[in-house]
């Protein structure tokens, strides 16, 4: 599975749901518990599942996407008549913050929109909320922060008294850890190695269930501060409030200005400035698909010229040959 497929199912504990056909699902399924609002979106989707989605795999995958939307920000407590565009777009923004591609966001948006349109046909709601879909650019490279942007972001949060946000940005840009990996590291859920120089990101807290070790020795002060601050101050709502203030100040018209760019920044620096081999960057960042890592390689002419100079210096070949 790649980021553009089912990556966002990886950190949600789904169990199998019973649908009308008895075949074994081939994708992660959703949790069915009494907590789902009987007047909510999931109750309706379960009832109409075999009519909304024709294939078993499509049905299970779509219900998993719907479940993730409902688990976000207590959306499962909303009646189907109360679901407007705001909770949907808030959820899609959260996916973007996690690094979801536009195609991934569009697939979630399509699933939610489809169920709500069926609800209109069943006369449960009068009108389905309008959902924004992104235009997809398959050639687009990941957005990353320049050194000046990183300095400005950190200064913004420090000046506001939000040192923990500044520390999250520093750790994200310098280690490539994802946002929730940083949070779980600070909460003690991600252990340190015996030498205390690496964070051992265990499968439970990764997107693709691959364990990896990430060096943190050079950024230990920021990590230690986060271990003191995050357990008391952290919440998704608090984080997004702070980030929204930053975005309003620095990049109000840039939809790609998200925290996940810190991870993109680390990848870009590793490949273009530090010159790490792509396979090492892949292992460091935990990319399951090497194509994901390749998006960051040779994104600047300077990087290629520098690599060419380094390659030439390894050889002692005469300029002319007789």
């Amino acid at each position: 599975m790649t980021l553009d497929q089912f990556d966002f199912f990886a950190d949600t504990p789904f169990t199998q749901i019973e649908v009308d056909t008895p075949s074994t699902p081939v994708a992660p399924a959703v949790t069915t518990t009494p907590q789902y609002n009987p007047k909510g979106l999931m109750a309706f989707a379960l009832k109409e599942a075999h009519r909304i989605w024709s294939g078993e795999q499509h049905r299970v995958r779509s219900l998993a996407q719907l479940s993730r939307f409902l688990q976000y920000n207590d959306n499962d407590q909303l009646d189907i008549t109360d679901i407007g565009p705001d909770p949907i777009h808030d959820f899609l923004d959260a996916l973007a913050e996690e690094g979801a591609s536009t195609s991934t966001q569009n697939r979630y948006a399509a699933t939610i929109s489809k169920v709500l349109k069926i609800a209109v046909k069943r006369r449960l709601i009068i009108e389905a909320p309008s959902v924004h879909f992104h235009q997809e650019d398959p050639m687009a490279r990941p957005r990353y922060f320049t050194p000046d942007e990183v300095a400005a972001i950190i200064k913004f949060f420090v000046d506001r008294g939000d040192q923990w946000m500044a520390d999250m940005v520093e750790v994200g840009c310098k280690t490539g850890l994802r946002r929730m990996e940083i949070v779980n590291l600070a909460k003690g859920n991600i252990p340190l190695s015996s030498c205390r120089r690496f964070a051992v990101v265990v499968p439970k807290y990764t997107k693709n269930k691959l364990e990896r070790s990430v060096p943190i020795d050079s950024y230990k002060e920021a990590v230690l501060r986060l271990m003191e601050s995050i357990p008391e101050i952290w919440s998704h709502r608090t984080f997004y409030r702070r980030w929204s203030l930053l975005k309003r100040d620095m990049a109000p018209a840039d939809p790609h200005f998200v925290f996940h760019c810190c991870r993109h920044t680390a990848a870009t620096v590793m490949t273009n400035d530090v010159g790490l081999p792509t396979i090492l960057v892949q292992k460091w960042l935990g990319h399951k698909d090497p194509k994901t890592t390749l998006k960051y390689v040779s994104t600047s002419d300077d990087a290629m010229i520098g690599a060419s100079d380094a390659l030439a210096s390894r050889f002692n070949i005469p300029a002319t040959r007789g």
Side-chain angles (χ1 to χ4, degrees):
M1 296 183 187
T2 66
L3 181 65
D4 285 344
Q5 291 175 312
F6 310 130
D7 57 306
F8 280 93
F9 300 156
D11 63 351
T12 304
F14 295 125
T15 56
Q16 184 171 335
I17 179 174
E18 292 184 3
V19 288
D20 289 350
T21 52
S23 58
T24 302
V26 295
V30 300
T31 302
T32 53
T33 67
Q35 70 182 12
Y36 281 124
N37 183 352
K39 296 182 180 179
L41 195 62
M42 181 58 81
F44 172 74
L46 292 174
K47 180 181 178 181
E48 299 289 331
H50 64 291
R51 285 184 281 266
I52 299 175
W53 302 287
S54 57
E56 170 74 6
Q57 181 177 357
H58 190 193
R59 182 157 55 247
V60 173
R61 183 173 67 246
S62 298
L63 286 170
Q65 291 174 330
L66 195 64
S67 177
R68 185 166 176 85
F69 163 64
L70 293 173
Q71 290 174 16
Y72 175 76
N73 206 24
D74 294 328
N75 287 333
D76 56 339
Q77 302 303 311
L78 295 174
D79 289 355
I80 193 170
T81 54
D82 296 329
I83 297 178
D86 287 345
I88 299 173
H89 291 141
D90 287 347
F91 168 70
L92 296 176
D93 288 344
L95 290 184
E97 288 286 354
E98 292 288 347
S101 66
T102 53
S103 59
T104 297
Q105 296 172 55
N106 284 345
R107 276 193 287 274
Y108 275 87
T111 295
I112 299 167
S113 180
K114 184 173 185 178
V115 177
L116 289 168
K117 287 178 180 178
I118 296 296
V120 172
K121 292 182 178 180
R122 300 290 184 271
R123 298 185 179 181
L124 289 180
I125 57 176
I126 297 175
E127 183 179 10
S130 177
V131 179
H132 172 72
F133 289 85
H134 295 284
Q135 284 193 327
E136 299 180 21
D137 181 3
M139 301 303 293
R141 294 218 179 248
R143 172 35 160 128
Y144 62 92
F145 296 134
T146 66
D148 287 343
E149 284 179 319
V150 174
I153 292 170
I154 289 176
K155 183 178 185 302
F156 176 88
F157 287 127
V158 170
D159 289 348
R160 275 186 46 84
D162 293 322
Q163 180 65 48
W164 65 282
M165 288 290 295
D167 289 336
M168 285 193 66
V169 171
E170 178 183 354
V171 173
C173 288
K174 293 181 177 180
T175 66
L177 287 168
R178 297 178 176 91
R179 178 173 59 94
M180 289 309 299
E181 290 173 346
I182 296 173
V183 172
N184 280 305
L185 172 62
K187 288 183 175 182
N189 297 327
I190 291 177
L192 300 183
S193 64
S194 57
C195 65
R196 313 290 289 178
R197 301 181 66 182
F198 294 85
V200 182
V201 190
V202 294
K204 180 178 179 180
Y205 296 107
T206 66
K207 290 292 183 185
N208 54 22
K209 304 303 181 185
L210 295 178
E211 182 175 308
R212 71 188 196 278
S213 294
V214 178
I216 61 167
D217 194 48
S218 300
Y219 330 113
K220 193 169 291 183
E221 288 186 6
V223 172
L224 291 175
R225 284 195 299 266
L226 286 171
M227 287 180 173
E228 293 181 358
S229 60
I230 286 294
E232 293 188 4
I233 200 170
W234 170 261
S235 74
H236 292 283
R237 190 179 302 275
T238 301
F239 172 86
Y240 285 124
R241 277 204 198 104
R242 301 299 194 277
W243 193 265
S244 294
L245 291 172
L246 169 72
K247 185 174 180 180
R248 186 180 66 186
D249 187 77
M250 287 190 60
D254 184 355
H256 303 294
F257 191 92
V258 296
F259 183 83
H260 199 74
C261 290
C262 295
R263 179 169 165 85
H264 295 170
T265 301
T268 301
V269 171
M270 287 179 194
T271 55
N272 298 319
D273 298 341
V274 181
L276 290 181
T278 303
I279 192 170
L280 179 56
V281 177
Q282 180 186 351
K283 182 178 179 180
W284 184 326
L285 297 177
H287 289 154
K288 195 168 187 178
D289 188 343
K291 292 179 182 178
T292 304
T293 311
L294 288 174
K295 292 179 182 179
Y296 302 95
V297 178
S298 299
T299 57
S300 69
D301 292 339
D302 288 344
M304 288 187 286
I305 292 173
S308 177
D309 290 343
L311 185 62
S313 68
R314 297 290 181 181
F315 300 95
N316 185 20
I317 300 175
T320 59
R321 299 182 183 181

